């Protein structure tokens, strides 16, 4: 039996660890089905996108450990992690996944708070008198 492949994906504060192995195509996130964990359809599509691009839907079981961040960050980090795991399984998937933009780590994060301000850019309310 082929050994499982691991990969890590990150986005904002979310850190995702993916474990892929040959199977019937189940995707579980933190012990729950991904459709239950990600209730919004566009987040489910984010998770499925690399599998559809590589045309391997239903051929691999995907186990996802999600930590930190929100649902959107976790879904996008899962997309990156699944793409990386697919390349470990078969390097021939790389051109299609790269063309679709699934191998880019999105570097955007939260801007730091500045002193004299309420948040990163929001100032305190000005009172004339």
């Amino acid at each position: 039996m082929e050994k499982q492949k691991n990969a890590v994906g990150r986005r904002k504060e979310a850190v995702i660890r993916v474990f892929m192995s040959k199977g019937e195509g189940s995707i579980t996130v933190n012990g729950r089905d991904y459709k239950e964990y990600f209730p919004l359809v566009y987040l489910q599509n984010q998770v499925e996108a690399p599998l559809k691009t590589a045309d391997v839907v239903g051929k691999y079981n995907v186990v996802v450990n999600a930590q930190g961040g929100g649902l959107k960050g976790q879904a996008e980090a899962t997309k990156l992690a699944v793409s990386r795991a697919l390349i470990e399984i078969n390097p021939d998937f790389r051109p299609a996944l790269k063309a679709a933009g699934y191998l880019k780590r999105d570097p955007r994060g939260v801007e730091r708070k500045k002193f004299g301000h309420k948040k990163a850019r929001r100032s305190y309310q000005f009172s004339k008198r």
Side-chain angles (χ1 to χ4, degrees):
M1 165 122 183
E2 185 185 308
K3 204 169 143 317
Q4 72 176 11
K5 298 291 183 183
N6 308 343
V8 176
R10 293 186 184 85
R11 168 83 169 93
K12 293 184 173 180
E13 289 293 306
V15 179
I16 301 292
R17 284 172 190 82
V18 162
F19 307 94
M20 285 184 80
S21 57
K22 281 221 180 284
E24 70 282 343
S26 68
I27 303 174
T28 55
V29 183
N30 292 353
R32 293 158 56 189
D33 183 59
Y34 80 107
K35 291 193 175 185
E36 182 190 329
Y37 191 86
F38 297 116
L40 301 172
V41 175
Y42 84 97
L43 294 179
Q44 294 169 11
N45 291 341
Q46 293 275 317
V47 175
E48 296 167 349
L51 297 168
K52 286 179 179 169
T53 303
D55 199 32
V56 292
V57 177
K59 294 181 182 172
Y60 294 98
N61 289 343
V62 182
V63 178
V64 178
N65 286 349
Q67 291 177 304
L71 284 182
K72 184 169 188 214
Q74 287 182 352
E76 292 183 9
T78 304
K79 177 173 69 174
L80 175 62
V82 169
S83 300
R84 286 175 171 174
L86 283 170
I87 287 173
E88 271 189 48
I89 289 168
N90 185 352
D92 297 340
F93 294 147
R94 186 176 174 84
L97 293 170
K98 192 172 170 76
Y102 297 152
L103 298 178
K104 281 189 182 148
R105 163 46 167 125
D106 193 337
R108 293 176 296 171
V110 178
E111 191 175 338
R112 83 172 205 62
K113 183 194 175 299
K114 318 299 188 298
F115 58 87
H117 287 262
K118 205 167 194 154
K119 292 164 65 179
R121 298 184 183 209
R122 169 89 167 97
S123 298
Y124 292 107
Q125 186 171 351
F126 175 74
S127 172
K128 200 162 189 177
R129 48 183 77 75

